Amino acid sequence: MSFTYDDQIQPILSRFGLDHIARLGSMRIDWPLITALVERWRRETHTFHLPIGEMTPTLEDVCYLLGLPVDGEPITGISDDNWSGEVVEVFGEDDWDTFPPRRLPGTYHLNPEWLRRIFLPANQVGNPDVRPVLAPNSPPELVTRYAQAFMLDLFGSVMFPDHSGYLYSMFLPIIKDVDNPPQLSWATGMLAYLYRGLCHGSTRKTKEIAIPCLFLQIWAWTRFPIGRPQARYFEDGLGERPFGVRWVGEHHFGDVPRGSVAVYRRQFEELRQGEVNWTPYEDIEDQFPELCRAPNNKELFFYEGPLIWFWIVEGYTTRRVMRQFNKLQTVPPPLLTVEDHFHEIKHSGLSNDDWELVHAESIESLSRI
């Protein structure tokens, strides 16, 4: 991320349900590991096919690893539009001629460099090594603007990265009201985005992929010994932090074989039942953040149906991976609950589509999420 987390924006991020993932930290992505996983993804089932059976990231994983809420409204709205007016309303900036990006701020994408320079001293604007920071005891208006810029950076860098490197302007209406923000199911939205990216990346002609890699890597390290460093140990337990905090910071790999796709391919091919951590969260759930311990989470983890993120609709079927919930795996259902033609829906070339209306039937089937 370009923006630095500051305790002054914590109350705002907490109201959005983004405080825990914002404080999680960063790590170097092991691209050979990501590649070896993508090769085993099957878009027909939304699972990784492994010698020990099928496995997949679930809503439970997103909630416990990142501290994102499961309960809430689907992430929808208008995607293809000119959001220039929203940019001016949120950030109060309209001097675009002084910094001409490839695209004007607020059209479909928002230039992250343009956003970054708002919070930099004039003599540091051209220095790519300087990160925006929030001065101590900043006025509330500046704290709010910084928190909004931070969230856009979080979406574009960690949760919903795009091939272009630009940030999605369509989140501007969502982050505009910091006092009464919408209560969204960030977990279902990010899982939908991950599934779509994996489905696209697993096709033969695809050469690049846009997925929340940090989450996928944390999930893989939590479940498999392949390429995994030593987990951080906290004497006082997790202390109201998500499980993913165990994998951030400085990594120590010891003699773990790693570093090439060929090595990881062979390790996945030789994977055995006893090497998989099927229930990594067992007996420590009381250490997770409060939102992870919401009374209805246990029921929502077993939800089956569509996952929604703007134009993306992906099927979610927990009955294919019941061992990940410490339950008996029976013969899984043969078909997904969402038809395959949803894979073909794209945002490019469409104008002002309100995805809440387009996917009204699918959203209705979300019932309690």
Side-chain angles (χ1 to χ4, degrees), residues 86-341:
E86 297 282 350
V87 173
V88 175
E89 185 175 350
V90 173
F91 297 109
E93 293 285 330
D94 58 2
D95 55 338
W96 300 337
D97 293 338
T98 63
F99 183 75
R102 285 185 289 172
R103 301 178 183 178
L104 288 177
T107 52
Y108 174 66
H109 283 103
L110 184 64
N111 190 314
E113 184 62 22
W114 179 89
L115 188 64
R116 171 180 167 272
R117 65 146 193 168
I118 298 177
F119 300 92
L120 291 179
N123 62 345
Q124 297 291 343
V125 167
N127 189 345
D129 297 326
V130 177
R131 301 177 64 186
V133 295
L134 194 59
N137 302 315
S138 294
E141 297 80 6
L142 181 58
V143 172
T144 295
R145 292 174 64 193
Y146 189 91
Q148 291 166 324
F150 183 96
M151 284 188 284
L152 289 178
D153 189 21
L154 179 68
F155 298 149
S157 302
V158 178
M159 297 174 65
F160 314 108
D162 184 64
H163 290 295
S164 66
Y166 283 75
L167 310 177
Y168 285 118
S169 300
M170 58 200 182
F171 280 107
L172 286 166
I174 293 177
I175 67 172
K176 186 163 56 175
D177 187 351
V178 299
D179 295 317
N180 298 286
Q183 299 304 301
L184 301 177
S185 177
W186 295 109
T188 59
M190 206 184 83
L191 202 59
Y193 198 87
L194 173 66
Y195 282 10
R196 174 59 60 89
L198 289 171
C199 290
H200 176 71
S202 62
T203 58
R204 181 179 301 179
K205 296 182 180 180
T206 302
K207 296 182 179 180
E208 58 183 4
I209 191 170
I211 60 173
C213 292
L214 183 143
F215 165 68
L216 183 59
Q217 182 162 296
I218 289 177
W219 177 81
W221 285 349
T222 301
R223 298 287 181 173
F224 312 118
I226 298 171
R228 181 169 64 192
Q230 298 173 10
R232 294 175 63 188
Y233 174 73
F234 300 98
E235 292 185 358
D236 58 346
L238 292 176
E240 292 282 326
R241 290 170 292 196
F243 193 88
V245 74
R246 300 187 67 204
W247 303 113
V248 297
E250 185 179 357
H251 294 143
H252 301 280
F253 293 92
D255 57 355
V256 175
R258 56 188 300 274
S260 73
V261 177
V263 169
Y264 292 144
R265 282 173 180 159
R266 184 172 63 253
Q267 289 183 330
F268 275 118
E269 290 169 359
E270 298 172 353
L271 191 64
R272 297 294 179 264
Q273 295 274 356
E275 298 176 304
V276 178
N277 192 344
W278 294 101
T279 56
Y281 318 116
E282 201 170 34
D283 301 327
I284 61 170
E285 294 170 350
D286 60 334
Q287 301 178 26
F288 293 148
E290 184 178 356
L291 67 83
C292 297
R293 295 181 274 112
N296 59 340
N297 270 2
K298 291 290 187 179
E299 181 180 351
L300 295 177
F301 290 159
F302 288 97
Y303 160 79
E304 292 196 346
L307 302 173
I308 307 289
W309 186 87
F310 289 101
W311 62 87
I312 294 176
V313 180
E314 294 292 335
Y316 181 69
T317 309
T318 53
R319 281 178 292 169
R320 303 196 72 93
V321 291
M322 293 304 289
R323 286 177 296 176
Q324 292 179 217
F325 297 95
N326 199 25
K327 296 185 180 297
L328 178 66
Q329 179 64 62
T330 57
V331 178
L335 298 175
L336 292 171
T337 54
V338 175
E339 297 180 12
D340 190 62
H341 76 271

